Amino acid sequence: MPGQSGAAAPLEQVIAAMAAQQRYVGGRLHGDLADHIPSYRAVPRELLGQIWHRHFQRALTVLREGTVPAPEDFDEADVARDRVARGVPLDEGLRAFRRALSAIRDLFIAEATQHGLDPGLVVDRTKCLWELADVASLRIAAVHRQAEVASALSDARRRADFLRGLLYGTLSAVEIHSGAAIYGLDLSRPYRALRAVPNGDLGPDALERSLEAHARRNGRGALLTVLPIGRPAAGCRPCVRSARRVRPERPVLAGGRRLRTGTRRVADRPLSAPTGGGG
């Protein structure tokens, strides 16, 4: 296999020359990402520098050893959580990673050519870098999706906690105003509490989408959550006149005031979709 004994010294010279340019190439990459991947403009330069250092040093190890780490050896969980928190889509995260690996590959080929590295070794290590890009991309995609699921579950729990506090009157005025800003509720207009269970083959997600669409048609948003099995879905939606009403329609929010609305005041009724219109 290329890269044994006599080739080790020239290869180390190439690696040393690459290491000397890590900061310079990283600076160019940062500007490139800002120009071509808009979501990365919100990522602090210091954090990008840390990620770049990790990728660069891993690539140098692959060039030196001629082997690619196993997928489970890539610790990308912290990076994935940060990307999800900043709203960086997975496809843009992968594009940024591949741009970084391409920059490292181009640097390797340039330095290998300048130092007269054996062509067979150049081809072998270039293949290793491509394999590194493939293996790492799969791992990044997997941990990113895991982070998205974890974030979605956390958001759902916070939304459910806010809604329960709103319905049972346990939230302070500050908490109500903060939650309203987060979930898009208009405190200047009244909302009604509603509980519903899916009808027939309709699942909770479809029911939630139907209720949200009904609210949007009337010009306002709804706040919905799915309660544990055995309890109906709960939410508060804008007050609208409808052909099918869920009674009693008692205000949950009125001018930002906190009202106590217990579950006994909200009727349980199967709904497939709200009907009617006219706000």
Side-chain angles (χ1 to χ4, degrees), residues 5-259:
S5 56
L11 178 59
E12 284 299 327
Q13 293 173 5
V14 170
I15 292 174
M18 292 177 64
Q21 299 184 65
Q22 176 180 335
R23 184 185 297 271
Y24 170 71
V25 177
R28 288 196 310 175
L29 176 66
H30 182 273
D32 182 57
L33 295 180
D35 290 340
H36 295 92
I37 306 180
S39 62
Y40 267 72
R41 296 169 188 165
V43 181
R45 189 183 185 97
E46 181 181 355
L47 179 59
L48 284 177
Q50 294 172 1
I51 298 171
W52 164 248
H53 177 77
R54 180 189 303 180
H55 291 326
F56 195 91
Q57 292 302 314
R58 181 182 291 142
L60 292 187
T61 300
V62 169
L63 291 173
R64 179 177 289 111
E65 299 177 356
T67 58
V68 176
E72 57 270 19
D73 293 333
F74 289 85
D75 184 13
E76 297 292 333
D78 57 335
V79 178
R81 284 193 294 268
D82 183 83
R83 275 196 298 262
V84 170
R86 296 180 190 278
V88 177
L90 173 58
D91 63 322
E92 295 191 2
L94 290 175
R95 281 173 55 201
F97 171 73
R98 288 194 171 272
R99 280 180 179 271
L101 261 292
S102 294
I104 295 172
R105 179 207 60 203
D106 293 345
L107 178 61
F108 167 67
I109 293 175
E111 292 298 332
T113 301
Q114 183 173 342
H115 286 79
L117 196 63
D118 178 79
L121 185 58
V122 174
V123 171
D124 178 76
R125 293 306 196 263
T126 301
K127 288 181 178 179
C128 287
L129 289 178
W130 282 119
E131 183 181 352
L132 172 65
D134 291 338
V135 173
S137 293
L138 291 175
R139 182 60 177 166
I140 288 171
V143 296
H144 187 99
R145 293 189 182 99
Q146 292 171 1
E148 284 182 326
V149 171
S151 178
L153 291 174
S154 178
D155 289 343
R157 284 193 293 267
R158 285 195 295 268
R159 185 170 60 249
D161 289 343
F162 173 75
L163 187 53
R164 289 192 187 96
L166 192 64
L167 293 174
Y168 286 97
T170 59
L171 299 179
S172 67
V174 172
E175 290 171 326
I176 290 176
H177 281 269
S178 175
I182 293 172
Y183 300 115
L185 301 179
D186 184 355
L187 294 181
S188 67
R189 306 179 72 176
Y191 283 76
R192 307 293 184 185
L194 174 148
R195 293 202 301 178
V197 294
N199 189 22
D201 296 331
L202 189 69
D205 290 342
L207 176 59
E208 185 171 347
R209 288 193 297 271
S210 176
L211 291 169
E212 288 176 338
H214 180 67
R216 285 195 298 272
R217 285 196 298 270
N218 288 276
R220 281 182 282 167
L223 176 62
L224 305 167
T225 189
V226 177
L227 299 177
I229 295 174
R231 301 177 65 186
C236 67
R237 66 171 186 172
C239 299
V240 295
R241 286 188 289 276
S242 173
R244 175 186 292 170
R245 294 196 175 214
V246 179
R247 296 184 181 276
E249 287 195 332
R250 182 173 179 79
V252 177
L253 287 176
R257 292 172 51 241
R258 177 161 56 97
L259 302 178

